[in-house]
Amino acid sequence: MKRLPASSTLQIDNKRVRVTEWRFPPGSETGWHRHAMDYVVVPMTSGTLLLETPEGMINSNLTAGVSYTRLMGVEHNVINDSDQEIVFIEVEFR
């Protein structure tokens, strides 16, 4: 099934951090990618994303304002499999 791409808006990109707003309309995805930097996700909305990973499918529950962090090397495709838009800010550390 072909999904629409999630949209990203680069907010800051300097020698220390890259900050991106991600918007996931229902049925959208990032496409497969591997994170080249450690990062923090700050959910702006609550909801559940579906993560396609090399190990299989994982549900990721987001709560608005409750941040989490991951190390570089994470590989996945992030999908909004719900009927509501999901928005988060991603802060990557160089």
Side-chain angles (χ1 to χ4, degrees):
M1 174 175 119
K2 180 72 173 154
R3 296 183 185 98
L4 297 173
S7 65
S8 63
T9 302
L10 187 61
Q11 295 181 343
I12 300 170
D13 191 10
N14 63 35
K15 66 181 181 176
R16 300 181 69 192
V17 298
R18 179 171 35 207
V19 179
T20 306
E21 178 191 67
W22 282 94
R23 290 189 167 269
F24 291 81
S28 64
E29 68 179 352
T30 57
W32 277 93
H33 61 282
R34 180 184 303 268
H35 287 266
M37 297 178 262
D38 295 348
Y39 63 99
V40 170
V41 170
V42 183
M44 305 305 288
T45 59
S46 296
T48 301
L49 293 171
L50 181 62
L51 306 178
E52 276 185 306
T53 74
E55 294 78 34
M57 304 296 254
I58 300 169
N59 285 316
S60 178
N61 296 312
L62 304 181
T63 302
V66 179
S67 303
Y68 64 89
T69 186
R70 297 288 182 265
L71 299 175
M72 66 184 265
V74 171
E75 182 180 11
H76 55 205
N77 178 24
V78 181
I79 304 161
N80 181 358
D81 199 28
S82 74
D83 59 357
Q84 65 183 27
E85 181 179 61
I86 297 176
V87 180
F88 63 76
I89 303 295
E90 180 182 75
V91 182
E92 298 172 283
F93 302 98
R94 297 190 194 278

